[in-house]
Amino acid sequence: MRRENIPDLSKFVEPDRVRREVYTDAGIFELEMERIHEKHWIYCGHETQVPKPGDYYQVQIGRQPMLMVRGKDGRVHVLYNRCPHRGNMMCGDRHGNTGEFFRCSYHAWTFQHSGKLRSIPMMESGYAGTRLNKDSPELSMKPAARVESYRGFVFASLAKDGPDLKTFLGKSIVAFDDMCDRAPEGEVEVVPNCFRVIQHSNWKLFMENQIDALHPSVTHQSTGRAAHEVEKQIAKKTKKGEAPLSYHMLSAFATVTIDKWDNFQTINYPYGHCILTGYMGLRPQDPDTLAYDKIMIKKYGQKRFDEIIGVNIHHVLVYPGLSVQSPLQQLRAVRPLGVDRTLTEIWHFRLKGAPEAIYRRSLAYYNLVNSPATLINADDLENFWKCHQGLASDGGDWVNFARHHGHDIEKPGEVSSAPNQGTSEAPMRNQMKAWAKYMSEQAA
Ligand code: FES
Ligand SMILES: [Fe+2]
């Protein structure tokens, strides 16, 4: 659909259903990039991805190729990855170190880490008598309009106006507090590099799925059952009758049956954010856990430790582009590439000061549940692709989000699913409500 032909988008979103074009129309996708991804706060990366001056990482914000770079003064900048001379991308590699300054590979214009122009070859003779003004911002690499960081997690907005990061995050900020508070040193550090997966479907399908409590015991049932069979066989052969914890990470998809997911709860917030409660029960009383507990109690005291460990979170969705699994120190950043193509970056982190065994446990979950190598991820990817194919067909006009509609509990600033209605489609309704609001506002 051509942009000028896009009809009134408010008619595309009803409280309990959404028109299929919202997922499939290329014109609507372009508007989403302008009004959502290139305007609101998008996660760039963690400060520990760029520890040294000159370290940079490429990051896609909406349609814009950007660079997150560490300056000599320790500040993290986010710049458009574009040379102001003739438009060459400044950095072709995904990440690296620029050295003392950026140097364009085409004609050797150089720039400070802040993006400010530093030098142009033979500048005096080359530009004598021209209108070039080396102090013009046009000749520096353009920075993101706003950059803010919270507990090491760097966000950028390409619009100069809008709520600050903390206001925007609201209660979803717990994602970063929960992750960092679990570290004896109160900080996490990124494990270098991530998994990257491109799914052939619209970005919103991924965001909806992240807090869709109805799907795990259906979509991942076969994977869970297979793991459970092996888990039982191994358990039989051991003295204690227990299989390694990693089997539980997968078998839970079969043993936590569909009715049990109703015990979870979703809490939905302004801007489209959402928390799915329900911890995975990965706190056995084994020696590794007890050693970690001891370090934490020594650091924080019993009372604060109990509070930290008692945070009841499964996932936090930070709309429009981030899904955080804070108790297991991992997150997925969503980078829309086209109306039917979406990149997800799957990152994980170390708790600073925690024993290696605790890291290994999170790594096992990362590999077994969130990586492209696992059947769990493949199960979801198949659904995403099939959903997109179905939505692109003429088989129906609407996507239905009516489950438990009208039963949600509304309080100022939040909408929760009702008790025993954890499989409510309240998070999808909340996301689309936020989407409609974003889309009704003009681009920056
Ligand atoms: S395009 Fe970068 S120096 Fe010419
Ligand atoms: Fe899933």
Side-chain angles (χ1 to χ4, degrees), residues 45-95:
H46 194 262
E47 287 183 13
T48 54
Q49 281 172 242
V50 287
K52 296 190 298 301
D55 283 351
Y56 69 84
Y57 236 101
Q58 283 202 35
V59 56
Q60 186 81 12
I61 299 184
R63 295 159 297 186
Q64 312 302 323
M66 310 292 292
L67 292 168
M68 178 173 77
V69 59
R70 175 81 68 176
K72 284 190 194 125
D73 59 357
R75 234 178 104 194
V76 175
H77 305 273
V78 178
L79 309 169
Y80 286 77
N81 187 6
R82 177 197 190 274
C83 176
H85 180 214
R86 302 249 289 271
N88 197 24
M89 268 170 79
M90 290 301 300
C91 300
D93 290 343
R94 187 168 282 147
H95 60 99

Side-chain angles (χ1 to χ4, degrees), residues 257-270:
T257 48
I258 195 162
D259 51 314
K260 291 188 188 143
W261 283 89
D262 258 342
N263 299 332
F264 287 41
Q265 192 185 29
T266 61
I267 313 170
N268 301 282
Y269 299 107

Side-chain angles (χ1 to χ4, degrees), residues 209 215 220 380:
N209 186 68
H215 93 282
H220 307 301
D380 286 325

Side-chain angles (χ1 to χ4, degrees), residues 271-291:
Y271 298 110
H273 311 321
C274 175
I275 292 175
L276 172 64
T277 68
Y279 187 53
M280 294 284 289
L282 297 175
R283 289 202 52 74
Q285 294 299 296
D286 63 287
D288 293 334
T289 309
L290 296 176

Side-chain angles (χ1 to χ4, degrees), residues 82-90 103-111 121:
R82 177 197 190 274
C83 176
H85 180 214
R86 302 249 289 271
N88 197 24
M89 268 170 79
M90 290 301 300
R103 182 179 186 273
C104 181
S105 63
Y106 204 173
H107 314 96
W109 286 30
T110 66
F111 305 88

Side-chain angles (χ1 to χ4, degrees), residues 337-393:
L337 303 177
V339 68
D340 58 356
R341 274 179 87 230
T342 305
L343 167 70
T344 52
E345 294 173 4
I346 311 162
W347 293 93
H348 77 299
F349 300 82
R350 277 177 189 269
L351 297 172
K352 277 193 174 175
E356 179 69 10
I358 298 300
Y359 165 67
R360 292 274 149 197
R361 187 173 297 170
S362 295
L363 176 63
Y365 189 89
Y366 178 73
N367 283 326
L368 283 169
V369 178
N370 287 336
S371 87
T374 165
L375 290 173
I376 299 290
N377 197 302
D379 293 336
D380 286 325
L381 284 170
E382 191 196 7
N383 276 347
F384 298 155
W385 177 73
K386 282 160 57 184
C387 272
H388 199 98
Q389 293 301 305
L391 292 175
S393 79

